[in-house]
Amino acid sequence: MPLPGRLTPARTGLVGAALAAAVTAGTLTATPAPAASTVPAAAAVTAATDRAHRPATDHGHHRTQAALEAAVRAGVPGVTAHAWDGHGPWGGAAGVGDLVGRAPRGVHDRFRAASITKTFVATVLLQLEAEGRLDLDDKVGKWLPGVVEGSGHDGDRISVRRLLNHTSGIHDFSEDPHFVRRVATPEFFAHRHRTWTPRSLVAIAMRHEPDFAPGAGWSYSNTNYVVAGMIIEKVTGRPYGEEIRRRVIDPLHLGATSVPGTDPTLPRPSSRAYSKLSDSSAGPTYDVTEFNPSLAGASGEVISDAADLNRFYTALLRGALLPDEQLAAMKKTVPTTGKEAAGSRYGLGLMRFELPCGTVLWGHGGGIHGSLSLAVATTDGGHALTYNFNGDWIRGRNKILDAEFCPTA
């Protein structure tokens, strides 16, 4: 199942198309040149390594563990996962976290959550609406006059709601060919420490015509959430990341979750992150662990771990973060289009998936350099699963969800 929110090179555009595809783009460690930064292929992880990751007790999650191991055999370097259900918490991992040293992938690894950030951003905006500080039907131009203008874009015709459900028509900056070349090809290494301001990312999008008139279609655009982050700062006087920390991270005690700003490093414990830096799953594998996440900003900057993301979505769906009216608005979905959508529907920073067995899940996916993730929970928040691959080129239908949520399939 393609994951929405992909900022990686594996899509015609870049970092992104919908930051998605079963799996929002990467960095180097110590070696300065792309050629010297390549690392061995991940396919040779052994069954013995897989067994070393298997927890002593799996609370009935043996099918999920087997699906993690199958993902490694299919070519991902390593995978970490965490589930929560009526039996309590469970963690699993498979493969390696370092293709050079062959250290195993860790159950408690932190990783770049990429477009999962969008649910955090939408939650903050919905909280602000509940406080009467803005209205979802406010026009972008009211809060950011002159920012969304150019090539036919008009912020005075686009509501905050249309930003959050991707019906604004605003072009995705991550599809711009020049931006793609700088961040999603080996040229990335010359730009990985560059700081991209929100205004500069929006300005890239404004060089292109809108994808459609506001409300006339659906198209996943990372620009929508960069603009949303700017609105949060305009309303509150504080950066969007500070508001996420105050309103979500601290109240839920999400100790592994952060909004790093321009910090290029991954906090420990964490694994290395790998990318092909191309649209192909063939060719060299690059270590892309370190880079300035401002290239995604409010569309995909958050760092977290699987357990924290389960706690976040469980709390959100159980009403701990939003009043009933705002949660209902968040879950009011629109049809999606394109291969990244995979038949899902999109709400306000929240996606609705229905598995073949009939189980309905809510959550979001994320892909960015060297990291592909999915975090989902059932409607009542009673069963949650998050997993992360430390390679961004994986394709194909998601077997991990079926294993966890469709035990008789």
Side-chain angles (χ1 to χ4, degrees):
M1 172 182 290
L3 310 186
R6 177 158 190 199
L7 252 157
T8 88
R11 170 131 178 192
T12 328
L14 137 61
V15 163
L19 276 288
V23 250
T24 195
T27 125
L28 168 70
T29 51
T31 343
S37 67
T38 58
V39 294
V45 177
T46 65
T49 302
D50 289 341
R51 285 195 298 272
H53 288 292
R54 189 173 290 118
T57 177
D58 66 10
H59 299 299
H61 298 279
H62 58 280
R63 284 167 48 92
T64 306
Q65 179 66 35
L68 304 185
E69 295 167 6
V72 172
R73 290 193 296 273
V76 66
V79 55
T80 184
H82 185 274
W84 188 90
D85 61 15
H87 298 289
W90 170 86
V96 297
D98 183 343
L99 288 172
V100 176
R102 311 303 291 176
R105 191 78 206 266
V107 171
H108 302 292
D109 276 355
R110 299 181 186 187
F111 49 82
R112 299 188 189 278
S115 278
I116 293 171
T117 302
K118 291 178 172 66
T119 313
F120 287 83
V121 170
T123 298
V124 170
L125 278 169
L126 285 161
Q127 288 179 346
L128 291 172
E129 186 197 46
E131 295 163 11
R133 301 177 69 178
L134 61 71
D135 192 294
L136 290 184
D137 294 318
D138 286 346
K139 297 301 187 282
V140 171
K142 171 183 177 178
W143 295 104
L144 303 173
V147 173
V148 180
E149 287 187 4
S151 304
H153 290 89
D154 183 357
D156 291 331
R157 298 178 58 209
I158 299 169
S159 68
V160 175
R161 190 187 310 274
R162 294 205 184 284
L163 295 177
L164 299 184
N165 67 11
H166 296 297
T167 61
S168 71
I170 297 176
H171 189 77
D172 188 350
F173 70 85
S174 73
E175 294 286 342
D176 177 81
H178 299 291
F179 184 76
V180 171
R181 189 180 71 249
R182 287 174 172 81
V183 307
T185 73
E187 192 175 317
F188 156 83
F189 293 104
H191 299 278
R192 63 189 174 119
H193 292 299
R194 173 175 174 173
T195 294
W196 303 81
T197 66
R199 282 184 177 266
S200 71
L201 296 176
V202 175
I204 291 171
M206 295 302 102
R207 298 173 192 160
H208 302 267
E209 293 182 359
D211 296 335
F212 46 80
W218 185 90
S219 181
Y220 193 96
S221 174
N222 292 294
T223 313
N224 286 325
Y225 276 77
V226 172
V227 174
M230 296 171 70
I231 292 174
I232 289 172
E233 183 166 359
K234 186 73 172 182
V235 173
T236 66
R238 287 181 288 269
Y240 90 93
E242 175 65 12
E243 288 299 304
I244 287 177
R245 184 188 64 77
R246 293 176 62 249
R247 293 168 173 272
V248 180
I249 294 174
D250 287 352
L252 295 183
H253 305 290
L254 305 181
T257 304
S258 61
V259 185
T262 60
D263 186 344
T265 61
L266 269 178
R268 295 182 181 275
S270 58
S271 292
R272 308 305 297 176
Y274 299 99
S275 178
K276 297 295 185 179
L277 291 177
S278 75
D279 281 331
S280 173
S281 59
T285 299
Y286 298 93
D287 185 327
V288 295
T289 309
E290 182 180 309
F291 67 95
N292 185 330
S294 66
L295 64 82
S299 75
E301 188 184 326
V302 162
I303 291 171
S304 192
D305 72 1
D308 267 15
L309 292 176
N310 283 346
R311 188 176 303 118
F312 167 59
Y313 280 103
T314 295
L316 177 65
L317 292 167
R318 289 184 168 182
L321 293 172
L322 294 173
D324 290 346
E325 179 182 349
Q326 278 68 37
L327 182 57
M330 182 178 243
K331 294 169 71 175
K332 184 176 181 180
T333 61
V334 296
T336 59
T337 59
K339 63 183 180 181
E340 286 83 9
S344 59
R345 293 179 63 91
Y346 206 95
L348 304 182
L350 189 67
M351 295 196 73
R352 181 187 187 277
F353 307 89
E354 184 168 351
L355 300 183
C357 63
T359 299
V360 172
L361 301 172
W362 296 87
H364 212 288
I368 197 163
H369 302 69
S371 178
L372 295 171
S373 307
L374 181 62
V376 294
T378 51
T379 303
D380 64 357
H383 189 176
L385 172 73
T386 297
Y387 73 81
N388 168 262
F389 296 158
N390 62 339
D392 63 24
W393 59 88
I394 304 304
R395 296 286 189 281
R397 190 174 176 287
N398 189 340
K399 303 293 186 183
I400 298 173
L401 291 186
D402 290 351
E404 179 66 26
F405 294 101
C406 302
T408 60

